[in-house]
């Protein structure tokens, strides 16, 4: 297992270019199955999670050719309809393949994704959406089979605006007969990106970004090329890196409108931001002010930024209160921050953070992807050297993370 070794105490200063969005790339890669042809994707982040998606595509008969961030995917020879168990276990979001496989071939098999690092993460809403479309689901000792003769458009009312269930419902209904309407749909920007991609492929979808999405089924989809949107959580992570180290950073290739709640909270904490069309400049104060945060589905404050914000508030002036409303187990990283001198108390879904003067270097572990990024921020701001173990979690979602950080003047090394 690899480690980061970070010498703390420097300000994060300079420019950083934001990569393509992980959470937009994953469903779009799955969606390439639907045209049974050629897709060229640009701005695909080179991270572990996209690699896993390509592995699954290759296992079921797809062809993947990569050149840096450009990826050509050929899906005309897909001949297996099962997501391999080991890959399903390694990446929970591989469930996003099911909508495409069943949407295209009217059958799919996969194993039940277990609990994960941030909560139980059930898939009942995905399965209910499939059933609404006339897809039969049978469960057998942890394996799930989907099958049907036809997929017929229907009204799908989601009990909760789940991102994955909304995406899977869209993917399963693009080639359906008739019209599907998803109500209480998730409104995340990544769903708009999926809609734009599929419409470019010839699908007829409207409404993404609102809570009602309408999909008019089409018979065929065509070859397509598409540029993936920027990663809003990576953007938020680098803004927070500047905020925590009294630094100043220019973010390039970012979409500021996707991160309004993050910008608002950073301004409330005392940061000065200059916002352009695709760039953001942040200048952080000597000391941040405490702020309160509650995570909510988009356009609320994103749960994926919860641990990162909690980390920067560890050294803010005053007491901050955080409420995690999306996942039930997203405070594992707190134990690691406490090792570094943070004062945090957890009570169910609430974290109370009492700002301390400084954090101190320690040996800590990444507990999950965003919890791991939080450790990196804490280490950069801390006095002394920090060793972060289990950085594989971080590499799932951040492209060239150590290089981008080093370019901001920080002393970070990887040790195998
Ligand atoms: C996606 C993102 C993830 C982000 C999350 C919430 C991807 C690859 N991942 O995950 O980074 O943190 O959105 O913004 O895009 N739920 C159910 N039943 C279901 C599905 C979900 O109860 O069938 C619950 C989950 O346990 C969770 C909540 O709904 O408590 C939100 O989950 P969901 O929006 O589905 O998240 P993901 O799509 O898994």
């Amino acid at each position: 297992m690899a480690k980061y070794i970070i010498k703390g105490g420097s300000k994060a200063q300079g420019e950083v270019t934001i990569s393509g969005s992980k959470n937009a790339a994953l469903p779009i890669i799955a969606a390439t199955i639907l045209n049974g042809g050629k897709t060229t994707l640009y701005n695909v982040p080179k991270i572990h999670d996209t690699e896993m998606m390509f592995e699954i595509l290759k296992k079921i008969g797809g062809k993947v050719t990569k050149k840096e961030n450009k990826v050509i995917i050929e899906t005309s020879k897909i001949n297996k309809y099962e997501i391999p168990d080991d890959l399903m276990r390694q990446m929970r979001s591989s469930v996003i393949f099911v909508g495409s496989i069943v949407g295209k071939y009217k059958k799919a098999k996969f194993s039940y994704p277990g609990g994960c690092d941030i909560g139980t993460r059930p898939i009942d809403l995905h399965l209910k959406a499939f059933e609404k479309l006339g897809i039969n689901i049978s469960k057998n000792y942890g394996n799930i089979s989907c099958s049907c003769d036809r997929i017929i458009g229907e009204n799908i009312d989601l009990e909760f605006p789940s991102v994955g269930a909304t995406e899977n419902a869209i993917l399963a209904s693009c080639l359906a007969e008739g019209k599907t309407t998803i109500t209480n749909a998730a409104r995340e920007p990544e769903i708009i990106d999926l809609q734009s991609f599929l419409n470019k492929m010839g699908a007829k979808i409207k409404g993404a970004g609102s809570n009602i999405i309408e999909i008019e089924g089409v018979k065929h989809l065509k070859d397509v090329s598409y540029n993936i949107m920027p990663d809003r959580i990576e953007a938020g992570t680098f803004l927070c890196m500047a905020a925590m180290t009294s630094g100043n950073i220019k973010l390039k290739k970012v979409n500021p409108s996707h991160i309004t709640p993050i910008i608002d909270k950073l301004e409330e904490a005392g940061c000065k931001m200059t916002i352009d069309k695709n760039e953001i400049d942040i200048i952080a104060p000597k000391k941040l002010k405490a702020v309160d945060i509650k995570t909510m589905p988009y356009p609320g404050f994103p749960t994926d930024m919860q641990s990162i914000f909690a980390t920067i508030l560890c050294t803010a002036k005053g007491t901050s209160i955080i409420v995690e409303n999306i996942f039930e187990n997203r405070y594992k990283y707190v134990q690691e921050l406490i090792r570094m001198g943070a004062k945090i108390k957890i009570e169910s879904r609430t974290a109370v953070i009492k700002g301390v003067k400084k954090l101190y270097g320690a040996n800590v572990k990444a507990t999950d992807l965003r919890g791991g990024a939080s450790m990196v921020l804490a280490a950069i701001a801390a006095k002394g050297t920090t060793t972060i173990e289990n950085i594989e979690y971080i590499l799932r979602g951040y492209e060239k993370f150590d290089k981008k950080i080093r370019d901001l003047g920080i002393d970070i090394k990887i040790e195998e």
Side-chain angles (χ1 to χ4, degrees), residues 46-53 90 392 395-397:
K46 275 178 82 178
I47 49 178
H48 181 265
D49 274 12
T50 50
E51 281 304 319
M52 297 298 298
M53 295 296 281
Q90 276 191 56
E392 283 69 16
L395 305 178
R396 290 183 72 149

Side-chain angles (χ1 to χ4, degrees), residues 22-23 26 92-93 118 120-126 160-165 167 188 303-304 326-328 330:
K22 168 178 91 71
N23 287 355
L26 302 183
R92 198 199 162 281
S93 6
I118 59 172
T120 48
R121 300 184 90 173
I123 54 161
D124 55 315
L125 302 176
H126 302 234
F160 180 86
S162 151
V163 175
E167 292 166 346
E188 269 68 2
T303 172
D304 287 348
I326 309 295
F327 290 107
E328 74 280 10
R330 219 166 183 181

Side-chain angles (χ1 to χ4, degrees), residues 37-57:
K38 183 178 161 186
T39 299
T40 309
L41 296 176
Y42 297 93
N43 206 29
V44 180
K46 275 178 82 178
I47 49 178
H48 181 265
D49 274 12
T50 50
E51 281 304 319
M52 297 298 298
M53 295 296 281
F54 299 141
E55 280 312 303
I56 294 174
L57 271 179

Side-chain angles (χ1 to χ4, degrees), residues 92 112 121-131 139 159 165:
R92 198 199 162 281
Y112 211 88
R121 300 184 90 173
I123 54 161
D124 55 315
L125 302 176
H126 302 234
L127 300 181
K128 278 186 196 160
F130 292 150
E131 278 175 329
K139 298 177 191 163
E159 283 158 42

Side-chain angles (χ1 to χ4, degrees), residues 366-415:
T367 52
D368 58 80
L369 165 57
R370 306 301 169 187
S374 308
M375 289 306 124
V376 172
L377 263 66
I380 293 171
K383 187 171 165 47
T385 299
T386 298
T387 304
I388 305 172
E389 288 181 37
N390 294 353
I391 66 165
E392 283 69 16
Y393 279 121
I394 303 171
L395 305 178
R396 290 183 72 149
Y398 288 91
E399 185 177 55
K400 299 184 186 147
F401 202 34
D402 59 314
K403 170 160 191 327
K404 289 188 183 188
I405 293 172
R406 214 171 291 120
D407 289 350
L408 295 173
I410 312 290
D411 186 343
I412 175 168
K413 283 190 207 88
I414 290 198
E415 201 179 271

Side-chain angles (χ1 to χ4, degrees), residues 141-160:
Y141 299 111
N143 293 315
I144 302 178
S145 298
C146 301
S147 64
C148 58
D149 297 327
R150 311 158 64 186
I151 297 181
I152 300 169
E154 250 292 355
N155 293 340
I156 300 171
D157 184 39
L158 293 175
E159 283 158 42
F160 180 86

